[in-house]
């Protein structure tokens, strides 16, 4: 209804989860077959059923961590970022209303008139980076 496109975070989660699953399977197979083969009661070295818990856990762990990392990167929430405040003092004692500018100049004039009608203290047109 709002015309928003779907997010790509589930795709990133899927890729990271498949990466975690692949890493878990390859690492366990390599360890059990090549690096440290143990004969435990005559069981086969490649007992894939025993790999299931570790594969599940790494899939969930890497999928979740990648989703959080992608969200932080997409939202530009990283250490050392310079904040962009809508108005000076907005985090202390002021309230700011930020609107996207419509493409038509007539609409901008109507918005300014509406804000003045409702006693806006200050109206400022700024260009910001999205």
């Amino acid at each position: 209804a709002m015309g928003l496109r779907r997010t790509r975070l589930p795709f990133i989660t899927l890729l990271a989860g498949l990466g975690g699953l692949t890493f878990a399977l390859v690492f366990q197979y390599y360890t059990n077959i090549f690096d440290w083969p143990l004969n435990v009661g005559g069981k086969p070295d490649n007992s894939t059923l025993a790999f299931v818990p570790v594969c599940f856990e790494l899939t969930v762990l890497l999928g979740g961590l990648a989703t959080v990392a992608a969200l932080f990167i997409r939202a530009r929430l990283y250490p050392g970022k310079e904040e962009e405040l809508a108005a000076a003092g907005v985090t202390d004692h002021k309230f700011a209303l930020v609107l996207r500018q419509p493409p038509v100049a007539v609409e901008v004039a109507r918005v300014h008139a509406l804000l003045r009608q409702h006693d806006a203290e200050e109206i400022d047109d700024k260009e910001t980076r999205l």
Side-chain angles (χ1 to χ4, degrees):
M2 292 177 58
L4 300 174
R5 64 180 184 182
R6 294 183 60 97
T7 180
R8 292 179 292 233
L9 280 178
F11 181 68
I12 292 171
T13 305
L14 175 68
L15 288 179
L18 288 176
L21 176 69
T22 303
F23 173 74
L25 282 173
V26 168
F27 183 69
Q28 290 180 92
Y29 183 80
Y30 167 76
T31 304
N32 285 329
I33 301 299
F34 299 110
D35 191 37
W36 198 265
L38 292 176
N39 186 2
V40 180
K43 294 180 182 176
D45 291 336
N46 185 17
S47 55
T48 311
L49 192 57
F51 297 170
V52 170
V54 175
C55 290
F56 173 76
E57 292 297 332
L58 273 179
T59 301
V60 172
L61 176 68
L62 291 183
L65 290 176
T67 302
V68 170
L71 174 68
F72 283 165
I73 290 169
R74 179 68 177 116
R76 297 185 185 104
L77 296 173
Y78 47 84
K81 178 188 174 212
E82 294 290 329
E83 70 275 353
E84 295 179 24
L85 298 177
V90 76
T91 59
D92 296 329
H93 60 280
K94 285 188 179 181
F95 175 77
L97 178 65
V98 179
L99 303 171
R100 284 190 174 179
Q101 183 175 356
V104 182
V106 176
E107 295 292 326
V108 174
R110 285 183 54 203
V111 169
H112 281 248
L114 181 66
L115 290 173
R116 282 192 198 95
Q117 177 185 355
H118 290 285
D119 299 326
E121 187 177 302
E122 179 182 343
I123 300 172
D124 189 17
D125 291 333
K126 292 183 181 180
E127 288 199 24
T128 60
R129 185 176 59 93
L130 292 177

